[in-house]
Amino acid sequence: MSPRHRIVLSLLALCGLVVLGGCQQSGSRQDPSDFLPLFGDRGNDNSPVLARVGKVEITQDDLDMFLEELPPAMHRRYEGADGRRLALKHMVDKAVLALGAVERELYNDQDVARTLISRRRETLESAMTNYGLLLDKEPSDAELQEFFQEHRDKYRQLGLVKARDLDTSTKADAEAAYLRLKMGGAKNQYPYVVKDYCVNEELRKLDGDLGWFNDGGVIPIIPNSQIFTTKAFALPDGLNPPFQVGDRWHVVELYQRQPARSKTFAEAREQVRKDMMPGFQDAIIKDYLLDARKHFEVQMFGEYGPGQGMTVEEIFARAMVLPEAKDKLDLYTLIHTDYPESDRADDALFMAAQVAIEMFDDTRIAGRYLQMLIDEYPDSELIDDATYLRDNINDPKLLRRLRSGGAVGK
């Protein structure tokens, strides 16, 4: 079992047992065994018992997991046989403290109970998100290629030049070096001229060869390198007269150039995946939440109940002017979930779809909002636009128009 799985399972064990204390009525007494185990992952552990604290057994596997789960900076502290003995001592100390807290019924303290409850909630939420929903979920190759085509302009290989350079402290030295290089001959090549004039020791070691760089790129050995590369990149190929950057004078020869070009899908694939994953995962979570609200029969009461508190028009107007896309989306979906019978519910779903497309590049969840509008509000005035947008949601021209603030249109 991987350390990642062990950590999560250990946390779930903590939630399922130790955190029970946070669920009890104040003043209730619990069996100490309700809080076990304190270590491990609740798997089949047949390894030797190394220590026993009351009913708590600490096994070889428990010790191994404890060491695995430590932050990297602490690993050295527990290296070797003495380190493992020290780690076991610390585990015993933790067990003694935990059992002491149970014996004193500290789980009934409101601050303790609040912490236990919040950790249970956060752990279960994280478990559902990372294991229940997202574990091993990856976009298909077809989805990656579709994303790549929609954002093709983003995936470009920058133009590059390959150059030699020498830098001097004075204009006179730079001009003298330039004249020698221009003269040509065996002793007037860069390796020789660099040694005679260049004041940059790192550049001297390279015989003046900078290798490849792009417009505005960083070259660590060159002072003010981004200004230098911007100027050098714009020079014509071949040997160029001296130019100044900061307190240095440079003599540059460009001897190879690669023009900017679009990357192939194979070249860009890993970057495409990285760019796509946040929206891909967010869509999975949002999809689940849309269904789960119905499954768990969510109800709101008091001032938060349907028709109470702020009016739908106030919420809709607020969503329209909010600058942050996530805040807009939250309010539009709030209208649908909390005011499903209002005249604005279909408008809110349509606007949510547009926000998902225009600001998150998330056509998957946008399509889900549009389908909900079509299914739940068949008499909506937006039904034709919603149907058209759903059916053409991957049309690059339509997406570009929407992202530039244009109407859906046909």
Side-chain angles (χ1 to χ4, degrees):
M1 181 178 293
S2 71
R4 182 178 66 168
H5 279 83
R6 284 174 174 168
I7 291 169
V8 170
L9 288 173
S10 296
L11 288 170
L12 287 174
L14 175 68
C15 282
L17 296 171
V18 175
V19 181
L20 284 173
C23 303
Q24 304 303 308
Q25 296 292 326
S26 178
S28 64
R29 184 175 181 82
Q30 288 189 244
D31 186 332
S33 64
D34 289 345
F35 296 88
L36 302 180
L38 294 180
F39 303 103
D41 59 9
R42 305 190 78 183
N44 294 323
D45 183 357
N46 297 313
S47 63
V49 175
L50 305 181
R52 183 176 288 109
V53 183
K55 292 184 178 181
V56 176
E57 290 186 343
I58 303 175
T59 69
Q60 179 75 51
D61 283 354
D62 292 336
L63 177 60
D64 290 341
M65 287 183 216
F66 178 80
L67 292 170
E68 279 179 14
E69 292 160 12
L70 289 172
M74 294 185 65
H75 284 177
R76 289 188 61 186
R77 184 180 182 188
Y78 296 109
E79 287 178 349
D82 290 346
R84 290 180 67 83
R85 178 177 286 275
L86 180 62
L88 181 59
K89 175 188 179 299
H90 289 167
M91 292 177 73
V92 168
D93 291 345
K94 290 176 183 294
V96 168
L97 289 169
L99 292 177
V102 173
E103 185 176 70
R104 297 189 184 191
E105 300 182 18
L106 295 182
Y107 46 79
N108 285 321
D109 179 274
Q110 285 190 323
D111 288 338
V112 175
R114 182 175 181 176
T115 301
L116 290 172
I117 291 169
S118 68
R119 287 186 180 178
R120 174 185 59 192
R121 181 184 64 248
E122 290 165 4
T123 303
L124 292 174
E125 176 190 346
S126 177
M128 184 59 189
T129 300
N130 296 309
Y131 287 82
L133 298 177
L134 301 181
L135 183 63
D136 298 328
K137 295 292 193 306
E138 289 279 340
S140 67
D141 218 54
E143 289 171 321
L144 289 171
Q145 293 204 40
E146 183 180 307
F147 187 92
F148 172 69
Q149 292 298 334
E150 289 176 9
H151 303 84
R152 187 155 196 146
D153 290 345
K154 180 178 178 179
Y155 302 105
R156 293 185 60 78
Q157 173 64 55
L158 297 175
L160 299 170
V161 293
K162 206 171 187 181
R164 301 181 183 94
D165 174 43
L166 63 85
D167 56 5
T168 67
S169 299
T170 67
K171 183 178 181 181
D173 283 348
E175 288 177 340
Y178 172 65
L179 289 175
R180 274 189 59 184
L181 290 166
K182 195 172 181 182
M183 188 184 306
K187 296 296 184 180
N188 293 324
Q189 301 302 312
Y190 259 89
Y192 296 99
V193 180
V194 163
K195 286 179 172 57
D196 291 341
Y197 291 96
C198 185
V199 297
N200 184 324
E201 290 299 324
E202 295 303 315
L203 200 52
R204 287 165 65 90
K205 294 175 185 176
L206 299 172
D207 293 332
D209 200 326
L210 290 175
W212 292 100
F213 60 86
N214 62 283
D215 186 357
V218 174
I219 304 176
I221 65 172
I222 301 295
N224 303 302
S225 65
Q226 289 181 292
I227 299 173
F228 167 81
T229 56
T230 298
K231 287 188 173 184
F233 191 88
L235 295 172
D237 292 352
L239 182 65
N240 290 272
F243 63 91
Q244 187 176 18
V245 174
D247 62 351
R248 299 287 179 89
W249 285 85
H250 294 267
V251 182
V252 171
E253 179 186 26
L254 304 183
Y255 64 93
Q256 200 169 343
R257 188 181 293 270
Q258 290 183 359
R261 62 176 177 81
S262 296
K263 288 184 178 181
T264 65
F265 173 69
E267 291 173 323
R269 189 182 192 284
E270 188 52 36
Q271 187 59 49
V272 171
R273 179 190 170 278
K274 288 179 181 178
D275 293 342
M276 185 178 177
M277 281 302 285
F280 177 80
Q281 293 179 333
D282 189 56
I284 292 173
I285 295 168
K286 283 187 168 68
D287 254 356
Y288 170 77
L289 290 173
L290 288 171
D291 287 334
R293 287 181 72 93
K294 297 176 182 177
H295 174 71
F296 291 111
E297 299 181 357
V298 175
Q299 295 177 292
M300 311 293 284
F301 302 99
E303 65 177 298
Y304 303 106
Q308 303 300 314
M310 289 181 69
T311 68
V312 174
E313 290 298 333
E314 288 172 334
I315 298 173
F316 194 87
R318 174 71 174 152
M320 292 287 287
V321 299
L322 284 172
E324 295 294 329
K326 185 179 184 304
D327 295 336
K328 285 178 175 287
L329 194 59
D330 284 344
L331 286 189
Y332 286 135
T333 54
L334 176 70
I335 290 172
H336 170 255
T337 56
D338 286 14
Y339 303 87
E341 304 301 323
S342 76
D343 291 339
R344 281 296 195 184
D346 56 336
D347 298 331
L349 285 173
F350 193 79
M351 292 301 295
Q354 287 198 293
V355 170
I357 292 171
E358 295 169 20
M359 301 182 179
F360 291 108
D361 288 334
D362 194 340
T363 55
R364 175 176 172 175
I365 196 64
R368 180 65 182 272
Y369 290 139
L370 292 168
Q371 190 61 53
M372 289 166 64
L373 190 161
I374 293 165
D375 292 343
E376 297 175 25
Y377 305 98
D379 297 327
S380 169
E381 293 178 355
L382 294 168
I383 201 73
D384 289 342
D385 281 345
T387 302
Y388 176 79
L389 182 52
R390 179 202 62 184
D391 293 345
N392 296 276
I393 202 164
N394 292 313
D395 181 341
K397 290 182 179 179
L398 175 59
L399 292 174
R400 280 195 296 270
R401 186 164 75 241
L402 289 173
R403 287 166 185 151
S404 63
V408 174
K410 292 187 180 181

